[in-house]
């Protein structure tokens, strides 16, 4: 394998694994490095410490929004349309591009998922909506090594928060897009903004089981929105309701037109009475970013949405988190409500008279600090006393919600290579963070669980479980992804909520699961690929000397301190001397012993005590390196050192005040450096040919979206690749012109 094609391996994995959108991934021709915490420590942190999901989403939104309080409403879809209409695909047949993209998985690690639906006629057909990898379909009920196939909608669909299927004609499908928690407001400063997953574009509809799609509720230029529920009236399937971040919408003509019927923000759940379909219930919450909190509660309409009444009768007056509701199928007067604050649990409430009166059951459902995020809820379809709650684990009650037992252990996951479709742990394993439940309409004991690790099933109503993630390629990779310099079939990357994964060239594209919790930046020793690195959040670097089987903590000073490091803190392992590592926090730390024994911080005063977000080092020495800091109390910037990090020069010049997400140095010319930026407006890719003294905006012609990745080809240095929120682009003339480069991606 040629050197150029070997380095492109990282490109293939990073972008395909994160779907068509190069969201949090990083293309890397360098060997970057990315913790040792026990599973027990992580579990306690998930319950009582800062929520990793919360911090992750703030980090994602910061990069995309700054300097705005949130992402602009219309820019994402406008950029997508621009790329679709005006960017030409670089064809492999032109002789200027390698073969089309090919997915390398992981086919055995399901990523964050939010929603699902079961075909009521053919129950082997199920659909799952992921948090950033779009819509997926299985015709085997999720069973098997290749159970899942990606559903191409023809639109830039990333987060699928809701799916509905027409019970009278299962070919008719609706998906609601976007993932947002809280509402459109900033919290406390530049590092702590809106809790958002990914862009929304409204509701799409298919009339042929997902083969083709059209816009239904058209919010393509309102990308701050999210759709959390789509309901179909079972007696008149032309009547639809949508629970959204912008209120409740109704369609009376199968999604052709929609009208708002309740203008209260953040409708997080809805249910319809299958006996009297004029009755609809809606839960409103997750409004912690607005003070005082308005309109929170459970609302009911008895006239198909014309009038809505807030239910009381024993319910709490207000809450700050996500409250979910469920109606018992055989008697819809029996209602459950799992009520949560954003960081605590309030209680499981039950009504037996259609919401007039409520009694409180358990107040001890262990939702921890994620009442804004989890809180799945389900009532067994033939036994109203059996209730499931989704928190960090699956909780089950057999006494109508009076008490609950923990049925799963998220930390029981297997380490090593789990073949696609095989068990990912013992029979009590379900991945952490349970969002949604569904049941097989022909068998009340068959339950589906949607969590941050994909889909899981139980055939005995939560007694035992098994994994259903064979081929569900929805994992979310952080930057950076690192590959061996000796073995093109060995690479590793850090995953959101899914540990770190080792690619080993397996024919079935199964990754080796290693490490704990979340993985971040990764790296490989350039002369010995038995030595590898990964990272937990906030600079907690870990090292392995046995190719990722076991780990030791070599975290930078005060690692895990969010005041000193970015959530995904950067570091690099030097190519020419792999004993030298540089890491970034409020300053630059340096190790000359292959990790640990950190000296520094250097440059903190020059950086104005702003956090380092991106780094790059020369491929031909260890003295020249660059870093980018995020705006904080003062302006962020780009900095250069010619003496191994001891002294730094501000080379920001007129570069924009946004998040400098990625940097790359020409492997053959240390004076040529590239930097990419998040945010919208202005340039996103800049190039310097004189070590940062002057910068040229080379993003002319590219779509205006946050740009997360840049890399210069080591064999053909005029070939520059970038990845942004829409896809991958290439320039064959150092950035003068650009082509779309995504053939084979989905």
């Amino acid at each position: 394998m040629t050197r150029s094609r070997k380095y492109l391996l990282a490109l293939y994995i990073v972008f395909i694994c994160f779907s068509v959108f190069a969201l949090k991934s990083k293309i890397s021709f360098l060997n970057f490095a990315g913790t040792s915490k026990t599973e027990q420590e992580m579990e306690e942190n998930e319950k009582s410490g800062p929520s990793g999901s919360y911090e992750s989403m703030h980090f994602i939104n910061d990069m995309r929004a700054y300097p705005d309080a949130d992402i602009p409403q219309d820019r994402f879809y406008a950029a997508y349309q621009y790329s679709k209409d005006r960017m030409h695909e670089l064809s492999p047949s032109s002789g200027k591009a390698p073969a089309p993209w090919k997915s390398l998985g992981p086919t055995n690690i399901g990523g964050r998922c939010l929603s699902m639906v079961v075909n009521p006629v053919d129950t082997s057909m199920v659909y799952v909506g992921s948090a950033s990898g779009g819509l997926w379909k299985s015709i085997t009920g999720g069973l098997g090594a290749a159970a899942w196939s990606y559903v191409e909608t023809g639109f830039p669909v990333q987060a699928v928060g809701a799916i509905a299927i027409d019970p009278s004609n299962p070919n008719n499908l609706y998906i609601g897009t976007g993932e947002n928690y809280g509402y459109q407001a900033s919290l406390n400063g530049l590092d702590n903004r809106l809790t958002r997953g990914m862009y929304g574009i409204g509701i799409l509809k298919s009339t042929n089981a997902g083969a083709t799609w059209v816009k239904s509720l058209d919010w393509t230029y309102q990308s701050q929105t999210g759709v959390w529920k789509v309901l179909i009236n079972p007696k008149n399937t032309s009547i639809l309701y949508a629970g959204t971040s912008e209120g409740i919408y109704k369609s009376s003509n199968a999604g052709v037109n929609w009208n708002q019927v309740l203008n209260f923000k953040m409708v997080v759940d809805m249910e319809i009475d299958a006996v009297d379909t004029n009755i609809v219930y809606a839960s409103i919450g997750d409004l912690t970013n607005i003070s005082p909190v308005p309109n929170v509660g459970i609302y009911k309409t008895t006239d198909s949405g014309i009038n809505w009444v807030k239910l009381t009768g024993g319910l709490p007056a207000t809450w700050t988190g996500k409250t979910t509701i469920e109606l018992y199928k055989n008697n819809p007067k029996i209602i459950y409500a799992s009520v949560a604050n954003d960081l605590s649990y309030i209680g499981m409430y039950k009504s037996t008279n259609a919401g007039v009166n409520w009694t409180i059951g358990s107040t001890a459902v262990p939702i921890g600090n994620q009442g804004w995020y989890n809180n799945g809820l389900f009532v067994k379809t033939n036994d109203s006393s059996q209730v499931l709650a989704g928190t960090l684990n699956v909780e089950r009650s057999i006494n109508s919600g009076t008490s609950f037992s923990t049925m799963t252990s998220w930390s029981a996951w297997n380490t090593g290579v789990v073949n696609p479709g095989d068990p990912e742990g013992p029979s009590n394993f379900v991945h952490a963070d349970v969002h949604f439940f569904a049941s097989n309409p022909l068998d009340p004991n068959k339950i589906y669980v949607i969590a941050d690790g994909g889909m899981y099933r139980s055939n005995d109503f939560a007694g035992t479980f098994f994994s259903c993630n064979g081929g569900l390629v929805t994992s979310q990779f952080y930057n950076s992804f690192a590959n061996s310099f000796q073995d093109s079939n060995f690479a590793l990357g850090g995953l959101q909520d899914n540990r770190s994964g080792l690619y080993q060239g397996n024919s079935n594209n199964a990754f080796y699961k290693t490490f704990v919790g979340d993985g971040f930046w990764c790296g490989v020793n350039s002369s010995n690929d038995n030595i590898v690195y990964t990272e937990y959040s906030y600079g907690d670097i870990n090292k392995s000397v046995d190719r990722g089987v076991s780990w030791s903590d070599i975290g930078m000073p005060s690692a895990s301190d969010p005041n000193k490091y970015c959530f995904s803190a950067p570091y690099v392992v030097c190519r020419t001397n792999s004993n030298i590592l540089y890491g970034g926090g409020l300053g630059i730390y340096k190790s000359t012993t292959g990790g640990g024994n950190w000296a520094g911080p250097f440059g903190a005063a020059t950086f104005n005590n702003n956090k380092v977000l991106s780094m790059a080092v020369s491929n031909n020495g260890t003295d020249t390196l660059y870093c980018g800091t995020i705006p904080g109390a003062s302006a962020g910037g780009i900095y250069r050192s010619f003496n191994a990090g001891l002294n730094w020069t501000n080379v920001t010049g007129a570069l924009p005040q946004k998040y400098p997400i990625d940097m790359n140095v020409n492997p053959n010319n240390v004076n040529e450096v590239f930097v990419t930026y998040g945010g919208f407006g202005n340039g996103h890719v800049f190039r310097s040919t004189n070590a940062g003294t002057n910068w040229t905006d080379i993003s002319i012609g590219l779509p205006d979206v946050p740009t997360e990745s840049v890399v210069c080809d080591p064999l053909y240095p005029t070939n520059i690749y970038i990845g942004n929120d829409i896809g991958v682009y290439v320039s064959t003339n150092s950035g003068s012109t650009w082509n779309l480069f995504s053939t084979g991606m989905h």
Side-chain angles (χ1 to χ4, degrees):
M1 180 177 287
T2 68
R3 180 180 171 204
S4 180
R5 288 183 64 83
K6 170 182 170 181
Y7 288 141
L8 278 172
L9 177 64
L11 279 166
Y12 291 155
I13 300 175
V14 171
F15 283 100
I16 296 300
C17 292
F18 208 81
S19 191
V20 67
F21 308 100
L23 295 173
K24 296 179 290 186
S25 305
K26 173 186 179 67
I27 320 174
S28 179
F29 287 139
L30 297 177
N31 56 320
F32 291 93
T35 133
S36 226
K37 293 186 181 296
T38 67
E39 300 290 358
Q40 289 75 20
E41 288 175 320
M42 287 191 54
E43 185 157 10
E44 289 305 313
N45 185 65
E46 288 291 333
K47 290 178 179 178
S48 59
S51 165
S53 299
Y54 177 88
E55 292 171 305
S56 172
M57 289 186 185
H58 277 279
F59 182 67
I60 294 168
N61 198 71
D62 286 351
M63 291 192 296
R64 284 164 175 77
Y66 190 86
D68 297 319
D70 195 7
I71 56 175
Q73 285 276 25
D74 59 344
R75 297 287 187 88
F76 170 67
Y77 196 81
Y80 162 77
Q81 197 65 50
Y82 169 90
S83 181
K84 182 179 178 181
D85 293 343
R86 300 181 61 180
M87 299 295 292
H88 299 291
E89 183 78 37
L90 184 65
S91 170
S93 62
S94 68
K96 296 182 179 180
W101 293 95
K102 178 182 178 181
S103 174
L104 295 185
T107 56
N108 61 331
I109 305 175
R112 287 202 309 117
C113 291
L114 304 172
S115 58
M116 76 159 296
V117 73
V118 182
N119 185 312
V121 177
D122 179 2
T123 57
S124 63
M125 184 181 295
V126 297
Y127 299 84
V128 161
S130 70
S132 62
L135 180 67
W136 292 75
K137 178 181 181 179
S138 173
I139 58 173
T140 65
L143 304 179
W148 296 95
S149 58
Y150 178 75
V151 179
E152 177 60 68
T153 66
F155 297 93
V157 171
Q158 300 176 32
V160 179
I163 314 174
I165 192 166
D166 187 336
S168 65
N169 182 358
N171 287 321
N172 294 334
L173 287 168
Y174 301 85
I175 59 171
T177 65
E179 182 190 22
N180 57 359
Y181 308 87
Y183 200 66
Q184 301 163 12
S186 179
L187 287 175
N188 302 311
L190 303 179
D191 287 345
N192 192 21
R193 291 178 177 272
L194 187 69
T195 311
R196 173 178 303 287
M198 197 39 61
Y199 309 102
I201 62 169
I203 297 174
L204 302 180
K205 179 182 180 180
S206 173
T207 57
N208 49 19
T212 58
W213 297 80
V214 296
K215 296 178 183 178
S216 180
L217 178 59
D218 186 2
W219 283 349
T220 47
Y221 292 96
Q222 295 169 265
S223 60
Q224 295 175 358
T225 58
V227 179
W228 280 115
K229 198 66 174 280
V230 178
L231 289 177
I232 301 175
N233 185 323
K235 294 184 177 180
N236 181 353
T237 58
S238 292
I239 298 176
L240 311 172
Y241 298 90
T244 80
S245 59
E246 313 307 306
I248 297 176
Y249 288 77
K250 179 181 178 181
S251 174
S252 298
N253 53 10
V256 176
N257 306 106
W258 294 84
N259 297 301
Q260 189 180 68
V261 294
L262 184 64
N263 186 20
F264 291 170
K265 306 301 183 186
M266 289 306 294
V267 181
V268 297
D269 201 7
M270 294 182 71
E271 292 295 327
I272 189 168
D273 187 320
V275 176
D276 182 352
T277 56
N278 292 308
I279 299 175
V280 181
Y281 300 86
S283 170
I284 295 171
D286 255 2
L287 285 159
T288 54
N289 288 345
I290 300 176
S291 180
V293 178
N295 306 320
V296 165
I298 297 174
Y299 290 78
K300 178 181 180 180
T301 178
T302 58
D303 52 16
S304 302
I306 297 173
N307 298 289
W308 295 84
V309 176
K310 182 178 179 178
L311 301 180
T312 54
L315 286 172
T318 188
W319 51 81
T320 60
K322 181 179 182 180
T323 288
T324 46
I325 50 179
E326 275 287 304
L327 275 60
Y328 177 46
K329 179 180 179 181
N330 291 334
N331 180 2
K333 294 184 183 299
I334 298 176
I335 312 169
Y336 286 89
S338 184
V339 183
N341 284 323
D342 53 341
L343 303 178
S344 63
Y345 194 69
I346 297 178
M348 182 67 67
Y349 289 79
K350 179 182 180 181
S351 173
T352 58
N353 55 8
V356 176
N357 303 106
W358 297 80
T359 58
I360 188 170
S362 175
T363 59
V365 173
I367 208 162
N369 56 14
Q370 296 195 157
W372 59 275
Y373 181 63
N374 299 138
N375 210 6
L377 179 62
F378 189 78
V379 182
K380 192 175 185 183
T381 56
N382 66 346
D383 184 352
S384 65
S385 68
Q386 297 200 46
V387 183
L388 302 179
T391 61
L392 194 62
N393 291 302
V394 175
E395 309 290 329
R396 184 175 72 180
S397 173
I398 58 174
N399 54 14
S400 301
T402 301
S403 62
F404 283 82
S405 300
T406 300
M407 304 306 295
T408 60
S409 174
W410 71 267
S411 59
W413 46 16
N414 288 336
T415 294
V417 176
V418 174
N419 287 322
D422 283 358
E424 298 170 18
S427 62
N428 68 336
F429 171 73
V430 168
H431 194 284
D433 301 336
V434 176
H435 297 279
F436 191 79
F437 296 101
S439 72
N440 185 313
L442 305 181
D443 186 344
N445 287 310
K446 289 185 178 179
I447 297 297
Y448 305 86
V449 184
I450 298 300
D452 276 2
M455 191 178 92
Y456 301 81
R457 283 181 58 169
S458 172
N459 289 334
D460 51 11
F461 200 75
T464 57
F465 300 85
F466 53 96
S467 311
C468 298
N469 293 311
L472 186 64
V473 188
T474 56
S475 297
Q476 298 171 305
F477 279 87
Y478 282 104
N479 57 333
S480 64
F481 195 91
N483 60 282
S484 166
F485 290 89
Q486 290 82 42
D487 181 357
S488 62
N489 284 323
F490 179 69
L492 72 158
L495 299 166
Q496 165 61 27
D497 222 9
N498 273 282
R499 311 168 76 179
S500 291
L502 303 171
Y503 174 76
Q504 299 175 318
N506 297 334
S507 60
N508 59 4
N509 291 330
F511 277 45
Y512 182 107
K513 293 183 181 181
T514 187
F515 200 49
V516 296
D518 302 84
F520 292 89
W521 283 59
C522 293
V524 181
N525 182 301
S526 61
S527 58
N528 180 0
D529 62 12
N530 288 306
I531 302 173
V532 296
Y533 301 84
T534 192
E535 181 188 21
Y536 199 59
S537 55
Y538 300 114
D540 194 359
I541 305 169
N542 274 230
K543 178 180 181 178
S544 172
V545 296
D546 53 12
R547 253 195 173 200
V549 175
S550 59
W551 299 91
S552 58
D553 198 320
I554 58 164
M556 290 183 282
S558 301
S560 303
D561 186 346
N563 296 312
K564 296 185 178 180
Y565 298 94
C566 284
F567 182 60
S568 179
Y571 61 95
V572 296
V573 185
C574 290
R575 172 75 182 274
T576 56
N577 182 349
S578 50
N579 284 321
I580 296 179
L581 276 69
Y582 294 102
L586 291 178
I588 298 298
Y589 293 95
K590 180 180 181 180
S591 172
T592 59
T593 60
N597 303 307
W598 298 95
F602 305 107
T606 306
F607 303 164
N608 296 314
N609 287 311
N610 289 329
K611 301 174 191 173
V612 176
L613 179 63
S614 51
M615 298 182 70
V617 68
S618 167
N619 240 26
N620 301 307
T622 63
D623 289 344
T624 301
L625 61 154
Y626 303 83
C627 71
T629 66
I630 64 174
S634 58
I638 304 299
Y639 301 87
R640 176 194 68 210
S641 174
F642 283 146
N643 60 357
L646 294 178
N647 303 104
W648 292 84
T649 301
N650 188 333
V651 294
T652 307
L655 290 172
Q657 279 301 302
K658 299 178 183 177
Y659 276 50
I661 300 177
D662 193 25
M663 308 183 78
N664 186 243
V665 177
N666 182 331
N668 307 300
N669 179 3
V670 71
N671 293 310
E672 185 174 16
V673 60
F674 303 86
V675 59
T676 66
Y677 283 90
F680 290 83
N682 301 318
H684 295 283
V685 188
F686 292 82
R687 174 187 180 222
S688 174
T689 57
N690 52 13
T693 302
N694 304 103
W695 294 92
T696 301
D697 183 353
I698 60 170
S699 51
I700 308 303
L702 287 169
D704 175 19
V705 288
T707 302
E708 286 77 25
S709 309
V710 60
V711 69
C712 174
D713 191 313
L715 291 187
Y716 306 97
T718 59
N719 289 358
I720 312 301
Y721 301 85
I722 66 99
N724 61 30
D725 279 4
I726 294 172
V728 182
Y729 300 80
V730 62
S731 171
T732 58
N733 50 23
S734 298
S736 296
T737 58
W738 295 91
N739 288 93
L740 185 62
F741 181 39
S742 57
T743 299
M745 281 188 166
H746 59 62

